Amino acid sequence: MNFTLYIWRQRNAKSKGKMVRYRATDISPDMSFLEMLDKLNADLAAAGEEPVAFDHDCREGICGTCSLVVNGVAHGPQRATTVCQLHMRHFKEGQEIWIEPFRARAFPIVRDLVVDRSAFDRITQAGGFISANTGPAPDANSLLVPKEEVSTAMSAAACIGCGACVAACPNASAMLFVAAKISHLAHLPQGQPERRRRALSMVRAMDGEGFGNCTNHEECEAVCPKEISVRFIAEMNRDYLRAALTTAEPETAS
Amino acid sequence: MTATAHVEAPSAVAGPPLVGSPLDGRAPSGPVEQKWERFRRDMLLVSPANKRKFTVIVVGSGLAGASAAATLGQLGYNVHCFCFQDSPRRAHSIAAQGGINAAKNYTGDGDSVFRLFKDTVKGGDFRSRESNVHRLAEISANIIDQCVALGVPFDREYSGYLANRSFGGAQVSRTFYARGQTGQQLLLGCYAALSRQVAAGTVKMHTRMEMLDLVVVKGKARGIITRNLVTGKVERWAGHAVLLCTGGYGPVFYLSTNAAGCNVTATYRAYRRGAYFANPCFTQIHPTCIPVHGDFQSKLTLMSESLRNDGRVWVPKKEGEKRQPNDIPEEDRDYFLERRYPTYGNLAPRDISSRAAKQVCDEGRGVGPMGRGVYLDFRDAIKRLGRSAIESRYGNLFEMYNRITGDDGYAVPMRIYPASHYAMGGLWVDYQLMSNLPGLFVLGEANFSDHGANRLGASALMQGLADGFFVISDCLGNYLASTPLEPVKADAPEFVEAQTETNVRIDKLLSVNGKRTPDSFHRELGQLLWDHCGMSRNARGLARVLERVPELRQEFWENVQVLGHYDEYNIMLERALRVADFMEFADLLAYDALVRDESCGCHFREEHQEDGECRRDDENFCHVAAWEFRGPDERPVLHKEPLAFEAVGLASRSYK
Ligand SMILES: Cc1cc2nc3c(=O)[nH]c(=O)nc-3n(C[C@H](O)[C@H](O)[C@H](O)COP(=O)(O)OP(=O)(O)OC[C@H]3O[C@@H](n4cnc5c(N)ncnc54)[C@H](O)[C@@H]3O)c2cc1C
Ligand code: FES
């Protein structure tokens, strides 16, 4: 297969970027999208041109590293699929493909298609944990958790932290990411003691990072490769409100 | 297959190895079940007020690194943690699917610490260290408690109790899991604990930072050299101890189930600085992966081994069979695992199942476009249990299979083939997880100690967390409390020298101006190793590798193409540095495989077999082979750590 690609090239955070046109030739329909880019990079190298930088690691949809907007959609056209798991058989011969980074004020560009998502780490540091020390913890079965609750917690915990939700949101909001973490822990008995404090500090950290507000477009859910539900955002809002009403100021997490 | 004659390798590369002084694992005396308790009774402690005066460098943020950094931070040490990904949460541990073992005996099916210990020793074909394995089994139960406390959502029964399954051929159900994403959930638990310490200021996290060298001062590991992958800056870091938790080197074969970034650089560079590399030839090839489909393939996706609980593995009886799988009648199918291993059948351990698949493909009975594949068939299971039961058990795996291959595994048998998956070999460590270089500790997949010549399913996650949560804090404390350490600053001459050497290496790569990408060298190297040093090895093939690798390495340094500059985000340079180390490491791997003139576990030397099975040579090879670096073009020196099996007793490993 052959394709015409338009790819965002930008040398570093400070320089200006632009879309550049390339030809991808001899692509097998069985290649993944990233393998198609590998092939392009090999061809570019043969012509003495620097490769297109893009982020990736596991290439099996779990690490959350890959982060491309393909034809305007974060992770591309296939539902519930990271771009590393997207295969070229889903494209039409000769098609034009536009490839851009995940764009958001809180995700500055590092180079080409690579962005800096460390804001997510900082939000997690603000409270996305249970403060359990390493040491002799109570027997795992001393705490019974209904199967349905664990299953809901797991559905939220499945978030891979890729940031597609932010890239897809017209406001570049990180609500789905933050809600997924808050709901994961809120559905478990271990997560209860810090539940309110967690919601308060994480939401405030999110605001502090410059992510936008949620105005219920639900684009995030549509692109989420793990199909995290927007109902977790509602849950988070409830937790946040309750916490804001009952707590004075969040203590800094320790 | 009958035993082939012993093939002599050309003497230039083979020759007998130079043998150095033997090694001692320094396990405490006494019966195996009392060793850890004895160590803990006698160990020295660092006083709480003094801990913050010690700087600990942790390289890696996978299960081993993140759990260690979080625990040491919580204890009050001043921790610096490094990873090359953009976030610690993306370490390769995230990809583990199947589960984690623990001797909880929650199902009451006869499990115990001793059984887990014994299974692991036997599974490793008696090439691991008993004392370490026993400690691992003892600690396993605490890991589950710890992870639940951290909020890991393990699957549960309707009763609310934790669920277990049997995995990887174990005869008891001791595996805990979180859907098909156990590694992800465990890593997120560790990442959360780590994030808490970062917030508390005890751990400083450095992402997109790659360790390129180890700094040794007066015989002790005292720091590292890193390259900032965004700015290109090469920096020096000094501390009182260095913990390498840098994972395995599976991608030495190029194609593997590992993440693209997994590499050998950290451990190989430590080896060059004097740390011994143990059993590099022990590499696990996992039987259930999606086969190779083309030249540009960048990875092989693992299909969880749990599929073998219900799927049946077969190939056509006839060579060159043209019929579609569903048109091949029962009498023309060879269920080769069930035939050869009636007791374990499709659940035979990984090394054995992989080898059996290779053998039938070598006989020309492989399936799929390239003839390197075997069927994994759910027809009978669907008939017996119904499609919905299979869907609920493995739905996500069938979906993944469909996504990658475009085929429907419910309707036609899946095709699978073995792929490089895990490194049992790694840096040599003693009972206290310390390398022969004092102050250098090695945790998780990066060390060698617990899995011998073959790792059992669901035991890597267990080991990473045992090392990081529960073993290292005691061992590190004991070291720091008992070792006088002079103050060392990062501007000491040893640091400046190592930094300069790193810069020279980078400049050299950028100035070759050749024609071949680092990737193309890596592919060629990987293919060479796969062909001659993969699932089956012989002296002639290994000698070929030992001849060819230096040539390839020379070509690399004369013809590698690295575009761009050193002081920027440069994916080609990043890659070239890793491939350069794989190129050197490949020699060591093949040489170890040649010198280990026996078959055991994953290491199948064609010269040593009985009815197609491994024939171990306990008289001559019941030891760990730990290699000492002697110079770039010199043969390494072999240090043997004799292995004694007191609690389990050497026995031949049969799954028939
Ligand atoms: C697909 C797959 C499925 C698996 N499933 C299971 C399973 O079900 N059960 C099981 O028990 N095991 C499983 N395993 C094995 C298991 O996942 C790994 O062995 C284990 O997670 C390794 O953990 P680790 O902490 O040692 O290393 P990793 O998780 O690999 O982490 C390595 C860390 O080191 C860092 N690093 C490496 N080199 C450098 C450097 N030079 N500089 C700076 N940082 C560096 C990386 O950034 C990373 O943070 C699976 C493996 C694969 C590939
Ligand atoms: S590369 Fe890991 S999710 Fe895509």
Side-chain angles (χ1 to χ4, degrees):
Chain A
M1 301 174 91
N2 300 298
F3 301 98
T4 304
L5 309 177
Y6 293 87
I7 301 181
W8 184 260
R9 302 297 308 253
Q10 178 175 338
R11 193 153 202 105
N12 54 45
K14 294 197 188 83
S15 62
K16 263 186 73 182
K18 59 170 193 278
M19 297 301 286
V20 179
R21 183 166 180 265
Y22 298 98
R23 294 280 302 157
T25 53
D26 283 336
I27 303 298
S28 138
D30 286 334
M31 278 184 185
S32 71
F33 198 84
L34 302 188
E35 285 166 352
M36 184 273 290
L37 289 179
D38 290 341
K39 166 80 168 59
L40 171 74
N41 278 342
D43 293 346
L44 286 178
E49 277 186 62
E50 285 180 50
V52 177
F54 60 92
D55 242 341
H56 64 100
D57 201 22
C58 74
R59 295 200 172 200
E60 56 181 82
I62 192 73
C63 73
T65 310
C66 61
S67 42
L68 303 178
V69 173
V70 179
N71 289 341
V73 183
H75 287 306
Q78 203 181 1
R79 223 192 135 73
T81 305
T82 53
V83 71
C84 61
Q85 290 268 284
L86 176 63
H87 285 72
M88 297 317 292
R89 65 179 82 91
H90 301 291
F91 292 85
K92 284 204 258 332
E93 168 62 34
Q95 193 181 337
E96 277 185 2
I97 305 176
W98 294 70
I99 309 170
E100 291 171 85
F102 279 7
R103 292 187 195 277
R105 184 150 66 95
F107 290 170
I109 289 185
V110 173
R111 179 168 189 162
D112 297 340
L113 303 166
V114 178
V115 299
D116 177 354
R117 287 167 288 188
S118 52
F120 275 10
D121 287 334
R122 290 187 295 273
I123 295 174
T124 306
Q125 287 152 19
F129 46 76
I130 291 171
S131 301
N133 282 343
T134 306
D139 184 273
N141 260 348
S142 63
L143 200 63
L144 301 187
V145 191
K147 192 178 169 75
E148 301 76 18
E149 279 297 294
V150 166
S151 178
T152 309
M154 181 62 212
S155 297
C159 168
I160 58 174
C162 62
C165 45
V166 175
C169 176
N171 310 325
S173 165
M175 287 283 210
L176 192 61
F177 165 78
V178 178
K181 182 47 57 184
I182 289 179
S183 286
H184 157 206
L185 298 176
H187 279 275
L188 296 174
Q190 312 89 298
Q192 298 312 312
E194 295 167 288
R195 181 168 175 178
R196 294 188 178 178
R197 197 172 88 158
R198 178 179 309 117
L200 268 187
S201 4
M202 287 187 80
V203 169
R204 289 188 184 170
M206 169 180 78
D207 292 342
E209 292 289 344
F211 291 101
N213 245 320
C214 171
T215 45
N216 301 316
H217 287 268
E218 302 192 0
E219 299 285 345
C220 50
E221 186 185 85
V223 298
C224 176
K226 298 295 142 184
E227 303 186 287
I228 311 271
S229 160
V230 289
R231 89 188 143 86
F232 292 127
I233 297 185
E235 285 186 14
M236 171 180 75
N237 284 338
R238 270 201 306 277
D239 273 10
Y240 178 78
L241 266 181
R242 230 174 264 153
L245 291 175
T246 54
T247 320
E249 268 305 289
E251 301 156 48
T252 45
S254 62
Chain B
M1 247 196 197
T2 51
T4 47
H6 187 101
V7 194
E8 282 302 335
S11 57
V13 277
L18 301 166
V19 180
S21 50
L23 280 168
D24 177 4
R26 293 204 302 154
S29 57
V32 73
E33 63 279 2
Q34 287 172 22
K35 287 181 194 286
W36 183 230
E37 208 33 60
R38 282 193 190 192
F39 168 76
R40 299 196 72 238
R41 191 189 62 196
D42 298 336
M43 71 187 178
L44 301 180
L45 300 175
V46 178
S47 83
N50 279 340
K51 288 205 179 82
R52 71 188 157 75
K53 297 183 192 150
F54 289 108
T55 298
V56 181
I57 292 172
V58 179
V59 189
S61 65
L63 290 189
S67 59
T71 302
L72 298 174
Q74 170 210 313
L75 288 173
Y77 292 104
N78 175 30
V79 180
H80 285 264
C81 182
F82 298 80
C83 72
F84 64 72
Q85 289 91 351
D86 69 330
S87 165
R89 66 176 288 153
R90 305 202 204 283
H92 168 58
S93 292
I94 200 94
Q97 306 168 350
I100 176 168
N101 286 333
K104 280 281 199 189
N105 194 26
Y106 278 165
T107 52
D109 56 0
D111 201 11
S112 62
V113 167
F114 187 80
R115 192 170 293 276
L116 174 55
F117 158 65
K118 185 173 142 196
D119 285 355
T120 309
V121 169
K122 179 185 169 203
D125 212 359
F126 299 92
R127 290 296 175 262
S128 51
R129 190 189 287 143
E130 264 196 350
S131 53
N132 287 50
V133 180
H134 198 278
R135 175 176 64 194
L136 177 65
E138 282 170 60
I139 289 174
S140 64
N142 304 29
I143 297 173
I144 303 304
D145 301 341
Q146 184 66 34
C147 291
V148 166
L150 287 170
V152 172
F154 287 120
D155 275 41
R156 303 219 170 216
E157 306 291 354
Y158 281 108
S159 58
Y161 287 103
L162 287 156
N164 287 113
R165 65 179 167 211
S166 124
F167 191 76
Q171 287 175 317
V172 290
S173 290
R174 61 161 75 104
T175 304
F176 294 77
Y177 57 99
R179 288 196 192 150
Q181 293 124 275
T182 315
Q184 179 199 30
Q185 293 310 314
L186 294 173
L187 185 61
L188 292 182
C190 296
Y191 165 72
L194 176 65
S195 297
R196 176 174 162 238
Q197 295 306 321
V198 173
T202 59
V203 179
K204 176 94 182 69
M205 188 68 220
H206 307 270
T207 60
R208 294 207 202 261
M209 288 273 238
E210 182 139 340
M211 166 185 162
L212 293 181
D213 211 346
L214 177 76
V215 183
V216 180
V217 180
K218 298 205 176 115
K220 297 195 177 73
R222 293 305 298 266
I224 59 170
I225 304 295
T226 59
R227 177 169 181 273
N228 180 319
L229 298 179
V230 177
T231 64
K233 196 165 168 213
V234 172
E235 291 169 283
R236 311 179 293 250
W237 303 87
H240 296 88
V242 176
L243 275 50
L244 294 188
C245 316
T246 49
Y249 50 83
V252 68
F253 294 101
Y254 188 74
L255 287 178
S256 80
T257 62
N258 290 194
C262 294
N263 67 84
V264 77
T265 290
T267 47
Y268 186 74
R269 287 283 138 193
Y271 163 71
R272 287 192 50 132
R273 291 286 174 195
Y276 298 167
F277 213 113
N279 301 335
C281 80
F282 289 169
T283 49
Q284 178 163 81
I285 312 294
H286 197 295
T288 56
C289 305
I290 299 179
V292 178
H293 59 67
D295 290 341
F296 255 88
Q297 191 145 353
S298 60
K299 94 159 272 157
L300 294 172
T301 304
L302 175 77
M303 300 284 291
S304 170
E305 184 158 49
S306 60
L307 287 171
R308 291 197 279 146
N309 284 332
D310 287 305
R312 297 180 71 193
V313 178
W314 64 277
V315 289
K317 280 192 178 151
K318 256 202 345 249
E319 236 178 272
E321 172 69 73
K322 292 277 174 296
R323 285 175 290 180
Q324 290 302 308
N326 286 338
D327 298 336
I328 301 176
E330 208 55 24
E331 61 273 17
D332 292 342
R333 299 175 171 203
D334 177 14
Y335 294 92
F336 55 93
L337 288 175
E338 297 172 24
R339 171 172 57 79
R340 285 179 61 178
Y341 308 100
T343 313
Y344 279 72
N346 296 297
L347 294 173
R350 292 177 179 176
D351 50 345
I352 289 174
S353 308
S354 291
R355 211 147 45 228
K358 177 181 188 294
Q359 282 162 3
V360 294
C361 293
D362 288 347
E363 290 162 22
R365 298 193 286 140
V367 300
M370 303 174 109
R372 308 302 301 179
V374 301
Y375 291 125
L376 177 64
D377 198 341
F378 287 85
R379 184 193 64 184
D380 296 349
I382 292 174
K383 229 183 265 163
R384 194 174 70 242
L385 307 160
R387 177 176 161 143
S388 66
I390 295 301
E391 234 177 88
S392 79
R393 276 180 209 175
Y394 313 108
N396 59 335
L397 296 168
F398 277 72
E399 200 186 295
M400 181 167 85
Y401 182 78
N402 172 262
R403 207 187 286 278
I404 294 170
T405 61
D407 293 341
D408 175 4
Y410 297 105
V412 281
M414 294 180 178
R415 279 181 290 114
I416 54 167
Y417 197 68
S420 163
H421 179 62
Y422 181 86
M424 279 79 69
L427 289 181
W428 185 84
V429 289
D430 64 14
Y431 185 69
Q432 300 183 38
L433 299 184
M434 189 162 82
S435 137
N436 57 300
L437 277 182
L440 178 68
F441 294 82
V442 192
L443 287 68
E445 191 173 340
N447 76 23
F448 87 100
S449 65
D450 295 4
H451 308 293
N454 173 61
R455 177 175 70 77
L456 293 181
S459 56
L461 302 180
M462 166 172 76
Q463 185 220 333
L465 291 177
D467 289 359
F469 274 138
F470 298 110
V471 181
I472 191 60
S473 50
D474 291 339
C475 299
L476 179 72
N478 185 52
Y479 170 74
L480 293 174
S482 61
T483 315
L485 290 168
E486 294 167 27
V488 168
K489 287 224 179 80
D491 48 13
E494 290 85 351
F495 282 84
V496 177
E497 242 164 69
Q499 183 186 31
T500 309
E501 281 176 35
T502 301
N503 278 323
V504 167
R505 205 157 82 240
I506 291 172
D507 288 345
K508 212 165 135 193
L509 283 170
L510 283 163
S511 60
V512 175
N513 281 324
K515 292 256 174 307
R516 272 185 80 176
T517 61
D519 213 51
S520 92
F521 282 104
H522 191 180
R523 259 173 217 279
E524 186 175 343
L525 178 76
Q527 190 66 50
L528 184 70
L529 283 177
W530 182 246
D531 289 345
H532 301 294
C533 199
M535 278 179 278
S536 127
R537 303 154 172 187
N538 63 49
R540 195 179 305 161
L542 293 167
R544 166 103 193 93
V545 175
L546 289 168
E547 257 170 44
R548 182 65 193 127
V549 172
E551 293 167 7
L552 194 61
R553 195 159 54 224
Q554 190 180 347
E555 193 196 334
F556 177 85
W557 285 103
E558 287 167 0
N559 195 28
V560 71
Q561 179 192 38
V562 185
L563 298 165
H565 308 282
Y566 74 94
D567 59 348
E568 61 181 356
Y569 188 83
N570 185 334
I571 53 171
M572 256 183 145
L573 176 60
E574 203 177 292
R575 189 86 192 189
L577 283 159
R578 292 176 192 160
V579 174
D581 289 335
F582 275 133
M583 289 268 180
E584 290 187 24
F585 174 67
D587 265 354
L588 184 66
L589 198 165
Y591 189 50
D592 182 46
L594 183 64
V595 171
R596 189 170 281 279
D597 200 9
E598 66 158 350
S599 293
C600 58
C602 70
H603 175 63
F604 186 69
R605 281 286 299 265
E606 287 160 12
E607 301 92 329
H608 305 288
Q609 53 178 307
E610 231 170 280
D611 304 327
E613 307 295 335
C614 280
R615 197 170 55 217
R616 256 182 13 227
D617 176 357
D618 292 329
E619 203 161 312
N620 294 301
F621 292 97
C622 195
H623 61 245
V624 178
W627 298 95
E628 179 189 358
F629 181 74
R630 272 304 173 88
D633 298 309
E634 289 190 45
R635 218 178 313 145
V637 172
L638 172 63
H639 296 269
K640 296 180 188 173
E641 180 197 333
L643 293 171
F645 292 89
E646 285 156 6
V648 179
L650 276 168
S652 89
R653 176 173 171 249
S654 166
Y655 293 91
K656 290 213 164 173

